[in-house]
């Protein structure tokens, strides 16, 4: 008996596919991955990595295959092998411990996250209490709060949190934000804080990184004209999850986060004439290409690339890898 032929083979209906620009890797992610790759080339395997270098399952698995060993804490690392700190940043105690053990370590913290750390320290030195807008437990938030003594930073996650936050004593205030948040949601939280504390100074430059902002603007355009938006990214990727939220708020009937083409439920395409495709800042381009090919295999797809910001930012690698 012949196996049943999938209905999609017979139903080659037209489908418009809009591809967001920009999408996928940002400069900070690209730098972090290169640091692990170069460290393995230069020092040999294994190279240890504290936490996932970036939040993408496929990237982590590929680096494991090259010789990276991912751990949760430094006490899982031997003293005689290099260790890389993830792109999300680490508390000050982590490099301090590495130095005390005379470990060779490479800091892959995104320079834009490092900028937030520097700003937080500057405010602390000036006697300000810092309000950090972010998600509890996210590695970037843990790293930022770990730059200063306990109690120096208060975490605010929602507008409701902003409404009940209490200033510690008579300390002046400052604020910082996680770099991968929703621009619009952060604006709402900040509006609530500034209504209550109008003296809050603005950072020298916005904390939400250029790549997060650009990808959210691009997905807004997708959401305005697509019934379905697919975001390629892993579930623990904050910036990828925010893209789903932004697409829905922009008008998409449905938006889904998928690790790869294998995650797609093709029933999502029922009644869909236009689908938008994008990817979070930690998702590699080959995953997007594979998703497009899977769509082409099932539909008479017309793929167009949206106009958007062209990114030319790049960050230098640590000297230990370039010397």
């Amino acid at each position: 008996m012949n196996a049943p032929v999938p209905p999609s083979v017979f139903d080659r209906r037209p489908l418009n596919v809009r591809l967001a620009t920009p999408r996928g890797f940002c400069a900070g992610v690209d730098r972090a991955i290169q640091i692990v790759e170069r460290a393995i080339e230069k020092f040999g395997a294994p190279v240890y990595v504290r936490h996932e270098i970036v939040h993408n399952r496929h990237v982590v698995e590929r680096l494991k295959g090259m010789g990276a060993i991912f751990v949760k804490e430094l006490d899982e690392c031997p003293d005689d092998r290099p260790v890389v700190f993830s792109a999300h940043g680490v508390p000050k105690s982590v490099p301090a411990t590495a130095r005390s053990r005379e470990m060779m370590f490479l800091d892959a913290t995104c320079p834009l996250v490092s900028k937030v750390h520097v700003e937080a320290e500057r405010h602390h030195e000036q006697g300000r209490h810092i309000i950090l807008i972010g998600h509890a437990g996210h590695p970037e938030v843990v790293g930022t709060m770990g730059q200063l003594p306990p109690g120096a930073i208060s975490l605010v996650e929602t507008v409701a949190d902003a409404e009940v936050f209490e200033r510690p004593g008579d300390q002046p205030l400052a604020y910082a934000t996680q770099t991968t948040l929703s621009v619009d949601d952060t604006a709402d939280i900040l509006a609530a804080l500034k209504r209550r504390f109008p003296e809050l100074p603005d950072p020298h430059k916005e904390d939400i990184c250029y790549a997060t902002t650009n990808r959210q603007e691009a997905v807004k355009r997708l959401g305005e004209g697509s019934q379905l938006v697919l975001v390629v990214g892993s579930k623990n990727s904050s910036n990828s999850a925010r893209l789903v939220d932004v697409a829905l708020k922009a008008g998409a009937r449905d938006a889904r986060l998928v690790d790869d083409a294998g995650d797609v439920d093709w029933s999502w395409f029922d009644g869909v004439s236009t689908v938008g495709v994008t990817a979070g800042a930690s998702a590699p381009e080959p995953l997007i290409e594979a998703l497009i090919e899977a769509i082409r295999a099932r539909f008479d797809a017309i793929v167009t690339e949206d106009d958007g910001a062209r990114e030319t930012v790049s960050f230098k690698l640590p000297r230990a890898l370039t010397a």
Side-chain angles (χ1 to χ4, degrees), residues 65 118 265 274:
V118 170
D265 181 339
T274 301

Side-chain angles (χ1 to χ4, degrees), residues 80-93:
D80 61 349
R81 294 305 304 162
V83 60
V84 179
F85 303 149
S86 82
H88 309 101
V90 296
K92 274 191 171 180
S93 59

Side-chain angles (χ1 to χ4, degrees), residues 2-320:
N2 293 331
V5 179
S8 59
V9 171
F10 299 107
D11 181 16
R12 298 280 299 172
R13 65 181 176 84
L15 180 71
N16 294 315
V17 181
R18 293 176 56 193
L19 195 55
T21 300
R23 61 185 178 274
F25 278 2
C26 64
V29 165
D30 190 49
R31 173 181 179 268
I33 293 168
Q34 282 191 60
I35 287 173
V36 179
E37 292 171 342
R38 295 280 189 93
I40 293 169
E41 289 173 11
K42 183 165 185 174
F43 304 111
V47 166
Y48 287 76
V49 185
R50 184 185 178 276
H51 292 182
E52 291 188 354
I53 186 67
V54 297
H55 283 160
N56 185 273
R57 178 173 63 85
H58 292 273
V59 170
V60 169
E61 290 302 319
R62 185 177 67 82
L63 293 174
K64 282 182 180 178
M66 294 176 64
I69 296 177
F70 291 85
V71 299
K72 290 185 177 179
E73 299 298 342
L74 284 187
D75 58 16
E76 300 172 62
C77 304
D79 293 345
D80 61 349
R81 294 305 304 162
V83 60
V84 179
F85 303 149
S86 82
H88 309 101
V90 296
K92 274 191 171 180
S93 59
V94 174
T97 299
R99 289 189 191 97
S100 71
R101 291 174 55 185
E102 299 184 347
M103 301 175 76
M104 162 67 181
F105 67 87
L106 297 159
D107 189 354
T109 300
C110 174
L112 299 180
V113 174
S114 296
K115 179 188 77 71
V116 176
H117 293 178
V118 170
E119 286 276 299
E121 287 192 281
R122 181 177 64 83
H123 287 308
H124 181 65
E125 289 168 0
Q126 294 172 350
R128 296 188 178 103
H129 182 82
I130 297 151
I131 302 166
L132 177 62
I133 302 171
H135 297 304
H138 188 279
E140 184 183 327
V141 167
V142 172
T144 299
M145 296 188 76
Q147 301 303 303
L148 300 177
I153 300 178
S154 294
L155 182 63
V156 167
E157 296 188 77
T158 63
V159 171
D161 290 345
E163 296 290 359
V164 298
F165 166 77
E166 294 293 336
R167 182 201 305 265
D170 59 355
Q171 269 191 284
L173 300 172
Y175 78 90
T177 69
Q178 183 180 328
T179 63
T180 56
L181 298 179
S182 160
V183 174
D184 293 338
D185 289 351
T186 304
D188 292 341
I189 295 169
L190 187 56
L193 287 169
K194 287 205 166 189
R195 178 175 47 76
R196 298 186 60 216
F197 309 104
E199 75 279 12
L200 270 175
D202 286 322
H204 292 310
K205 192 175 181 183
E206 288 298 322
D207 289 342
I208 296 176
C209 85
Y210 77 92
T212 297
T213 301
N214 288 347
R215 280 152 189 72
Q216 289 181 18
E217 288 300 318
V219 88
K220 278 182 186 178
R221 292 190 291 273
L222 288 188
E224 289 167 358
S226 307
Q227 293 101 345
L228 171 67
V229 173
L230 297 179
V231 178
V232 179
S234 292
K235 291 179 175 59
N236 60 341
S237 168
S238 175
N239 78 86
S240 300
R242 299 292 77 73
L243 293 178
V244 173
D245 299 337
V246 171
L248 291 169
K249 286 183 179 179
R253 186 178 72 198
D254 193 9
R256 306 278 181 161
L257 181 64
V258 294
D259 234 326
D260 52 38
D263 278 354
V264 175
D265 181 339
W266 297 101
S267 68
W268 300 338
F269 286 71
D270 291 348
V272 170
S273 60
T274 301
V275 59
V277 175
T278 189
S282 48
E285 184 69 16
L287 297 181
I288 306 159
E289 293 170 355
L291 175 58
I292 295 296
E293 287 309 306
I295 293 172
R296 287 185 189 276
R298 290 163 175 81
F299 301 95
D300 183 12
I302 301 171
V303 181
T304 58
E305 189 158 355
D306 280 11
D307 288 331
R310 299 290 169 175
E311 296 174 348
T312 58
V313 176
S314 62
F315 297 127
K316 293 180 180 178
L317 297 177
R319 288 182 182 175

